[in-house]
Each structure stands twice: as C-alpha cells, then as structure tokens.
Amino acid sequence: MPSDREGLRAFYVEAWRKRREGLPAEPLEHQVADVIAQHPEYHDLLESGPAALERDWTPESGQENPFLHMGLHLGLREQVATDRPAGIAALHRELAARHGLHEAEHRMAECLAEALWLAQRNNSLPDEVSYLNALRRIRDAG
C-alpha cells in the first residue's frame, strides 16, 4: 500500500473501482473494498475522481476524514487478526457480539485514534496498556 496521501487515496479509489466492476483484486484491495462497502456514505466521494484525492478534511471543518476513518477500521482488523496488542481479539469478539461488528469497530476506532494521537503528540510509540484499558472501559460500560 502506498505511503503518501495521494497514493493511498488512489489505492482506495482503485480497490473500490475493481469491486464495483467485478475485476480481480489483490488481497489488500479486497480488505479495503470490504471496508468501503460498509460505508455507503463514502461511495460518491470515491467515485468522484480527482476530488477524492485532493480534498482536505481538517478538525476545524467539523467533517470526518473518510480515509482516516476507513484506515482505522483496517488497522483494527489487522490488530485483531494478529491479537496485538495481546487481548484485543477477545475484546473485539465481546464488543462485536454485543453491538454488531461495524458498531464495535466504530467504538474501538475512537480508542485507537486517541492512542495514535497521544503517541504523535508525545513523539512516542502508542501506549498499548492505556489503549487496552480504554477498550475495556468501553466493554464494561455496556
């Protein structure tokens, strides 16, 4: 997957185009297209051509960045698949059983986003213990 913003966004657009057109895709493209399929509110954007690659979403605009949102889903799924940090797969199963997969991932993504933001702010690695504790609080809150 590309590491620059435009390349990454183009990857999402292409994965979605392949899904819509029934074309062969790489495994990672399938994963991205699966997340996109769960977010119909982003379909028009991903089908809009260059606008999807160039637009900025800032906190001041009050709009969520769809690429960040979908990336958090993908990141969570990778964490669950590898159970890293240890215990996240079980928490994911519990939350998905209680709230459904998509809603569970949305709740968990908030914790992941905060952990990543704190790590960036502190110029450090994400604090896995604090992250797991935040996920446990969500689980325990019902």
Side-chain angles (χ1 to χ4, degrees):
M1 188 177 291
S3 59
D4 64 293
R5 184 180 95 158
E6 288 76 20
L8 183 62
R9 290 179 177 189
F11 187 86
Y12 277 66
V13 168
E14 181 65 8
W16 185 235
R17 183 187 71 77
K18 287 181 177 181
R19 169 69 58 90
R20 287 187 346 264
E21 296 177 8
L23 298 172
E26 297 296 320
L28 186 54
E29 290 173 318
H30 282 292
Q31 291 176 30
V32 169
D34 288 346
V35 169
I36 293 168
Q38 292 180 317
H39 292 86
E41 68 273 24
Y42 301 148
H43 293 178
D44 287 345
L45 171 71
L46 294 167
E47 296 166 14
S48 69
L53 306 179
E54 298 167 0
R55 184 168 172 197
D56 285 322
W57 288 270
T58 61
E60 299 80 24
S61 73
Q63 294 180 322
E64 182 176 57
N65 181 328
F67 295 100
L68 173 59
H69 179 86
M70 291 184 288
L72 289 169
H73 276 282
L74 292 165
L76 277 169
R77 290 175 184 190
E78 179 67 21
Q79 289 179 329
V80 169
T82 61
D83 197 30
R84 175 129 197 251
I88 195 168
L91 286 165
H92 182 264
R93 280 191 303 275
E94 290 177 49
L95 288 166
R98 187 177 302 150
H99 303 288
L101 177 63
H102 196 74
E103 178 59 26
E105 287 184 356
H106 280 173
R107 291 172 186 231
M108 295 175 76
E110 290 180 27
C111 296
L112 177 56
E114 182 177 358
L116 294 173
W117 179 80
L118 287 170
Q120 184 178 20
R121 185 186 76 180
N122 297 329
N123 196 28
S124 65
L125 293 173
D127 181 345
E128 291 183 353
V129 172
S130 294
Y131 174 45
L132 283 171
N133 286 336
L135 293 172
R136 287 184 189 108
R137 283 191 296 275
I138 289 172
R139 176 201 59 199
D140 296 343

